[in-house]
Amino acid sequence: MSNASPAGGLTALKTNPPGFTTADAERIARELYGIDAGATLLFGERDQNFRLRPAQGPGAVLKLYNAHEDPAIVDFQIKALDHLALQDPGLPVPRLLATRAGERSARIEGPDGAGHIACAITFLPGKLLEDVQPDAALLRDIGRTVARLDKALRGFFHPAAGQKIAWDIRRAGELRPFASLIGDPAVAAAVARVLERTVERLPAFAALRGQVIHNDCNPGNVLVDAAGAPAVAGIIDFGDMIHGPLMFDLALAAAEAAGEGMGAIESAQEVIAGYSAVLPLQEDEIALLFDAIAARFASTFAIFAWRQRHDRRGADKLERFERSELPVFEQLLSAGPQAAANAFRKAAGLSSSLPVAATPKPPAQMPGASSEALIARRRRLLGSGLELSYERPVHLLRGEGVWLWDADGRRYLDAYNNVPNVGHAHPHVVEAVARQSALLNTNTRYLHETVLDYAERLCARMPAGLEVCAFVNCGSEANDIAWRIAKAHTGGTGALVMENAYHGGTEAVAALSPYGVPASDVAPHVRTLEAPDLYRGRFRASDPGAASGYAEAADRALASLMAAGHRPAAAMIDSAFISSGILDLPKGYLQAVAEKVRAAGGLFIADEVQYGFGRSGSHFWGFDFQGAVPDIVTMGKPVGNGHPLGVVVTRREILKSFTDRTDYFSTFGGNPVSAAAGLAVLEVLEREGLQENARATGAYFRQGVEALMARHAAIGDVRGTGLVMGVELVRDRKTQEPAPDWTRRVANLMREQGVLIGTEGPRHNVLKIRPPLCFRREHADIAIEALDRALAAI
C-alpha cells in the first residue's frame, strides 16, 4: 500500500502514477544503471514500478516516483535502506543500486514534461504472502523477520519520518467520516466504533516505545520462499515508513497474516511469539495490541469505502482484502480486548493475565490534581489576574496536529490557536529544535550559519527592499523594536493605531494597544483610527467610497498629532484586524492609510503576528493580501510554532538609522535553536502546501458557517479569509444589537463538545476561529456541526 490517502492533511488520494512506458523504463535502466533488461510494469498506487529482467541474474526493480512526491520522502526511503544494509546485512530487504554516476537516485523528465525521481533496487524472488495460506511455522518466521527489521531500524531517524499518511493508524479520527460509506450497516457501525476507540487510545499509544517503523508489513509486502519452505524471503515497499509506536509493526503483521485453519487470535499469537523471541514486548504494548490490530482493519475498510466511491483504480487492490479479512476482523471483535490481551501475553511468554484495571492510562495523568486544585495553585503562584479560557478551564497535556488531549484523555479539536502554526508538536520542527539543542545554543555574539540561512529564506518571502532582519523573542518585543526603529529613522514621536488594537505587553507597545481602553485614556502621543467595519460602521460593503471614507480618519489623526507637537513616527496595524472583530476590509483601505502616513513623514509597520505565514491562503503575508507594502514587518507567535521567536524585517537604511544610534543586542534573539525552529516552520509550510490548504479549507469552512445563517438568526455576519474567521452574533439582525453573552455561551458549549474557539471584538460578540494551518475539511465539518448544535442550544 502506498502513502496515498483519503484523509485531509495527508498525501493526495487520487492515484497518479507517471505515464512511463515499458520502453521508457528499459531505456532509463540502460542509460542510468547500465542494465540491459526487459521491463514489466508492476502495481503502484502513486508511483510506477518496473520489474527489470536481464538475460542473467535475478534482475532489479526500477522505481519512478510521481512528480508530486516530496524529495524528502524519497530520501527517507533511500537512507533507511542504506541503514538496514549496514545494521543487518542478512535481512531480506531490497538493496539500493547505484547509478553509473555513483548516485542513489537521479532526476529524469517524464512523458508529461515534469521532473521525476528514479531509483533502482534489487529484485527479491519469492511469492507474495497474500497468495499463500501460511502455517504456524511461517507465521512465526514473519514475526521474527519483522522484529529483526525493527531492531535494525533502531537509532535511525530522518526529518521526513513525520510524514502524514492515512495508513498511520493514529490518524483514525480523520477516517471516521468514511465509515458511513460502507455498504453493510453492521460493518459500518463496527468500523466507526473501532475508529472512535482508536482516537480514545491515542494518548496511551503516545506513551509506547517509538522509533522509525516500516508501518506496512501486510501480505502484499511480504515475500515467502517460492519453493514452499516456511520462511520469509523478503519485506518490500518502504513508502509508508513513519516514526511511531514500535508495536505498530507487529500489529500490522499480526492483523492480516491469517493462518491456515486458524482463527484471528490464534494466527496473531504465532506472529507475536516469533516477534517477541527476537524483540521482547512490554506490558503496555501487549495491553494495546488488540486496539492497534483492530484499528488497522477499520482504517483499511474505511479507506476502501472511500476509494470505491472516488477512485475505482485505487480500490481494486483492496477488494481482495475486504473479502478475505472481514471474517478475521469480526472474529477479533468477538474475542474482545481482554481475552485477546490474555492470549497475546501467553504468546509473548508472559504467564499471568493483565488485569483490566492495569490497561495503560493516558500519559502524565495526575491523580488527585483536580481542576479546582490546579486553579487554586495557579492563583497562589501566578496571581489571580492571569486569564483562563472557558467557564470550565481545560487541563491540556499534549497536542498533535490540530488535536489536543486533556488530563482525562479527552480529545479536543483546536480551532483557535495560531501559535502552533503548522500544527501542534510537528515532528519536523520538534526534530530541528532537538537536533540543534543537542549541538549548540548560545547568545548571538558568535557566528552561526542557521540564523543567516533563516534570514535569507524569510527575506526571500518579502517585497523587494525589505531585506534585513532583527531577531527577538516574541511579538511584543518585535513591535517594541519596530517602534524604536521608526522613531529613530523619522525623528517623530506620534503613533497611529486602530481602535481597540493590541500589539503587545512592553511599556512602549502597551501604549500602542488601546485594547478595551476608552478614547479619553489613550496615551497623548497616540491617535486611534476608526475600524473600517463594513458590517456596522459608517460605510458599508455596498458603498464604493468605503475605503477612502474610512481612510480619511488618518488625515484627522495625523493633523491632531501634529497640533499636539508629535510628528508621526509610524502607523502600526495588525493586517488581520483581529481585535477589531476580524474585518473584511474595503479594497485599498490599508494602502491608502500607509500612503497618508508616509506623506506625513511616518512609516507603516505591518504587524503580522496574527495573519502572517500563509494564513490568508491567497497570500503569504496579510499586508500583501490587503494590497499594501510596509516599511517594517513584525512577526511573533506562529513564527517558531510555539518556540519563542520574534522577527523584525525592514529596509537596510531604516535599520541603520536605529543601529547607528543604539547599541542594540538581544541575548537570545536569533539564537541557533530559535533559528532552527523558524527555518523548520518555513520548510513545513512549503513542503506541506499549508498556504494552499488555508485557502481551500478556509473557503470551505466559511461557506459552511455562512450556510448556518439560514437556520440561526443569531449570526449577524461571517468574515475572514483563509484560516481566520469571525462570526458576529447579534440579538436582532435588523438592529444589529450585539450578543456578547450568547457569544461567550457558544464558545463554552463548543468547548463541551470538544471544539476550542475564542471570542473577540470591541463588543465581545465575535467568535474567533483561527486554527493551525493543517486544519482540513473534515476538521471544518466537525467545527461546523459543533457550532450548529451550540447555536441551537442558545
Side-chain angles (χ1 to χ4, degrees), residues 188-211:
V191 167
R193 285 195 302 270
V194 170
L195 293 176
E196 185 59 42
R197 179 181 171 91
T198 305
V199 170
E200 295 170 356
R201 293 294 183 270
L202 290 178
F205 284 147
L208 300 177
R209 287 184 292 177
Q211 64 170 65

Side-chain angles (χ1 to χ4, degrees), residues 376-722:
R377 187 180 178 207
R378 175 187 172 104
R379 288 173 177 167
R380 177 170 58 84
L381 295 171
L382 306 181
S384 59
L386 191 59
E387 183 181 357
L388 280 165
S389 296
Y390 313 112
E391 294 169 358
R392 286 201 314 120
V394 184
H395 177 194
L396 296 174
L397 294 185
R398 64 176 290 266
E400 180 183 353
V402 299
W403 300 105
L404 294 162
W405 285 266
D406 69 11
D408 295 321
R410 185 182 181 188
R411 188 181 71 158
Y412 295 86
L413 177 64
D414 186 357
Y416 177 66
N417 289 290
N418 73 325
V419 174
N421 201 41
V422 299
H424 291 278
H426 193 288
H428 184 59
V429 181
V430 170
E431 194 275 334
V433 170
R435 182 179 63 242
Q436 186 57 54
S437 295
L439 291 174
L440 172 72
N441 198 31
T442 185
N443 72 59
T444 54
R445 290 191 186 273
Y446 303 100
L447 291 174
H448 199 272
E449 291 180 336
T450 306
V451 70
L452 304 179
D453 293 340
Y454 178 47
E456 285 177 345
R457 289 282 290 274
L458 192 61
C459 289
R461 285 284 193 173
M462 292 287 170
L466 295 174
E467 58 184 359
V468 290
C469 300
F471 289 96
V472 289
N473 303 293
C474 65
S476 290
E477 287 187 35
N479 285 331
D480 186 280
I481 294 301
W483 173 239
R484 292 173 62 189
I485 290 171
K487 289 194 295 180
H489 184 71
T490 64
T493 57
L496 268 64
V497 297
M498 300 306 303
E499 293 174 344
N500 209 55
Y502 180 80
H503 295 289
T506 71
E507 184 174 6
V509 176
L512 307 181
S513 302
Y515 191 76
V517 175
S520 57
D521 293 341
V522 173
H525 67 288
V526 176
R527 296 295 183 271
T528 60
L529 301 180
E530 172 188 7
D533 187 342
L534 296 177
Y535 173 64
R536 61 168 67 245
R538 289 189 301 122
F539 304 97
R540 303 297 172 90
S542 59
D543 191 331
S548 58
Y550 281 121
E552 287 176 359
D555 294 324
R556 295 189 293 272
L558 290 165
S560 176
L561 281 175
M562 296 291 284
H566 293 287
R567 284 175 49 199
M572 182 179 291
I573 298 177
D574 160 23
S575 52
F577 290 75
I578 294 285
S579 58
S580 298
I582 309 174
L583 304 180
D584 289 337
L585 297 191
K587 187 175 181 179
Y589 167 78
L590 196 59
Q591 182 181 8
V593 171
E595 290 173 353
K596 292 176 184 294
V597 172
R598 288 196 187 102
L603 303 178
F604 168 41
I605 302 172
D607 181 339
E608 290 289 326
V609 171
Q610 302 276 9
Y611 218 13
F613 297 91
R615 183 161 292 276
S616 77
S618 58
H619 296 76
F620 199 76
W621 303 110
F623 62 76
D624 203 15
F625 172 68
Q626 305 293 1
V629 178
D631 302 293
I632 304 175
V633 182
T634 62
M635 291 154 266
K637 291 185 193 298
V639 67
N641 210 54
H643 186 87
L645 176 60
V647 192
V648 177
V649 178
T650 186
R651 297 199 301 273
R652 190 173 305 280
E653 71 274 13
I654 292 177
L655 184 62
K656 189 174 185 299
S657 299
F658 176 62
T659 55
D660 282 352
R661 293 172 171 80
T662 306
D663 184 18
Y664 170 71
F665 171 69
S666 173
T667 300
F668 295 112
N671 68 76
V673 173
S674 295
L679 190 59
V681 168
L682 287 182
E683 290 168 348
V684 173
L685 284 166
E686 294 167 2
R687 188 172 69 192
E688 298 184 7
L690 294 186
Q691 179 181 327
E692 169 58 21
N693 179 66
R695 184 200 64 77
T697 303
Y700 175 84
F701 198 1
R702 177 166 170 169
Q703 288 169 7
V705 174
E706 286 174 337
L708 296 181
M709 296 180 75
R711 294 200 300 277
H712 302 290
I715 301 179
D717 194 31
V718 180
R719 305 186 286 265
T721 307

Side-chain angles (χ1 to χ4, degrees), residues 173 612 624 723 785:
D624 203 15
L723 282 176
E785 290 173 7

Side-chain angles (χ1 to χ4, degrees), residues 160-294:
Q163 67 167 319
K164 298 179 179 180
I165 59 173
W167 301 106
D168 179 351
I169 62 178
R170 293 171 299 182
R171 309 188 74 83
E174 298 175 39
L175 300 177
R176 283 183 300 181
F178 307 124
S180 62
L181 301 178
I182 296 172
D184 187 324
V187 177
V191 167
R193 285 195 302 270
V194 170
L195 293 176
E196 185 59 42
R197 179 181 171 91
T198 305
V199 170
E200 295 170 356
R201 293 294 183 270
L202 290 178
F205 284 147
L208 300 177
R209 287 184 292 177
Q211 64 170 65
V212 170
I213 58 175
H214 181 277
N215 193 46
D216 201 16
C217 293
N218 75 83
N221 290 330
V222 176
L223 297 169
V224 298
D225 194 312
V232 174
I235 296 178
I236 59 175
D237 193 350
F238 285 72
D240 284 357
M241 287 188 301
I242 57 170
H243 186 284
L246 174 66
M247 177 267 289
F248 280 8
D249 261 356
L250 170 60
L252 270 55
E256 300 177 30
E260 184 175 11
M262 294 194 253
I265 299 298
E266 292 79 12
S267 298
Q269 280 183 291
E270 297 298 339
V271 179
I272 292 165
Y275 187 97
S276 58
V278 176
L279 197 56
L281 294 169
Q282 297 179 353
E283 292 280 8
D284 53 357
E285 293 168 329
I286 288 285
L288 289 165
L289 193 50
F290 169 89
D291 290 297
I293 293 174

Side-chain angles (χ1 to χ4, degrees), residues 20-40:
F20 291 95
T21 65
T22 54
D24 292 331
E26 292 168 359
R27 174 183 54 79
I28 293 167
R30 284 194 303 271
E31 294 176 356
L32 281 182
Y33 293 95
I35 299 174
D36 190 5
T40 304

